[in-house]
Structure formats: structure tokens, C-alpha cells
Amino acid sequence: MPTVLDPDTALVLIDLQRGITAMSTVHPADEIVDRAARLAHAFRAHHLTVVAVRVAFSPDRGDVLRTRTAASGPAATRGPDWAELRPELEIGGDDLIITKRGWNAFYGTELDLQLRRRRITGIVLAGISTSIGVESTARAANERGYELTVVTDAVTDLVAGAHSNSLDVIFPRIAELATTEEVIAALDR
């Protein structure tokens, strides 16, 4: 069955920033960024909203969630360009940039407000990491009633089993799954 997108669908790209894409992922991060850039180009060509979500924290890291059970992410040196979005995405003046402080792109951000003001009813998700930022955002989108598509070849994770669990168990219950080519074909129909 061909991929179906609502006429008012936005592309939401999760954490495609220098610091995250420099980590060791199951699939090469550069390939994920390239597919996301192709999707962004196609969405813009159809005058549809592109949203780039990044994760960043204040210099004192006082806004980092700290609970007894919260596991720290992989050790990574956070240089001055850590939260900088990858230039291949060509994020520009008509695109939205959302900065989050945790996993879920909806929690504590204006993402839902900005999408609803634009009368967005569908979301296409891509990015890193499948089981963390993408999955938590997908769950939140589903809870808010958005029609959701996850781009299976434009997501990756730090852990193969976690990536597979999201794609094989979680996403089929809350989203349509499609490849980059299938989403672009749906836009062109």
C-alpha cells in the first residue's frame, strides 16, 4: 500500500546536529543526514513545513535532567559546535528550529504550538536516535493526535537492539513506516 500523507504534514528532524552525528551509530550518521536533507528539500519544494529539533543545554548544565535512575548518555566532548545543526540540511529562514532539553521534542518546547498554528495534522519523523529522541517524540505526537510517518531508512541509533525494537515493535503501533523514496513519492502524488 502506498504511503499516505495528510496535505498539511511537516517534516520533523530529530537531533541531526554535529555532536550527535559524531557518535558511533548503527547506520552511518552521514547517510541519515543525507536522506534527511533529501526529505527537507522535497518538503520545501512542496511548500511544507520543515522543523529541525536539536538538543542543547545551558553552559552550567543546570537544565540537564538528573534523577536517581536517569542514565547518562555516552561520554562525548561537547565542543562549541555540538548543538549546531548539520549544514547539509540547509535549515533556513522558513524552517523552524526547536531546542529541547531532553528526549521528547514536544516536552517543554513550543513544537506543538508552532505545528498547530500552522494547522499541521501530520508529521514525518527522521533523525537520531531511533529509540530515544525519535521514539519519545513519536509517542508524544501520537498522544496529541498527529498522523505519523517514521522514515525507516532515515533513523538510526547507538544500539542495534534498541533501533530494531523501535522499528519492529513500537512504531508499527503508532505510525506508518516508509522509506525516504516512499515519502518523496507520496509528496509528488
Side-chain angles (χ1 to χ4, degrees), residues 5-117:
L5 300 177
D6 280 15
D8 296 312
T9 294
L11 174 65
V12 178
L13 303 173
I14 304 293
D15 297 346
L16 296 177
Q17 60 196 68
R18 290 191 188 275
I20 301 291
T21 60
M23 295 179 183
S24 178
T25 54
V26 175
H27 306 92
D30 287 346
E31 291 178 13
I32 303 304
V33 171
D34 288 344
R35 289 183 188 111
R38 287 187 56 228
L39 288 163
H41 178 77
F43 269 71
R44 289 184 198 110
H46 289 276
H47 307 289
L48 295 172
T49 302
V50 174
V51 182
V53 178
R54 64 180 172 194
V55 62
F57 302 100
S58 61
D60 71 353
R61 302 198 35 90
D63 50 0
V64 174
L65 179 65
R66 291 179 181 85
T67 64
R68 281 193 314 273
T69 57
S72 297
T77 303
R78 289 193 162 93
D81 66 347
W82 193 84
E84 186 179 305
L85 294 164
R86 291 282 296 263
E88 299 95 316
L89 301 173
E90 298 180 352
I91 301 301
D94 290 337
D95 301 325
L96 299 175
I97 299 174
I98 300 291
T99 302
K100 62 187 176 88
R101 308 284 189 236
W103 293 5
N104 173 354
F106 285 95
Y107 182 76
T109 74
E110 62 178 15
L111 178 58
D112 191 47
L113 173 70
Q114 292 299 336
L115 294 175
R116 294 205 188 275
R117 285 190 175 170

Side-chain angles (χ1 to χ4, degrees), residues 120-135:
I120 301 297
T121 57
I123 295 174
V124 171
L125 271 178
I128 301 172
S129 117
T130 313
S131 67
I132 298 175
V134 178
E135 183 177 314

Side-chain angles (χ1 to χ4, degrees), residues 104 106 125 131-145 148 165-166 169-171 174:
N104 173 354
F106 285 95
L125 271 178
S131 67
I132 298 175
V134 178
E135 183 177 314
S136 61
T137 301
R139 288 173 181 252
N142 175 262
E143 291 164 354
R144 287 163 175 78
L148 186 59
N165 186 69
S166 294
V169 179
I170 304 301
F171 293 155
I174 61 174

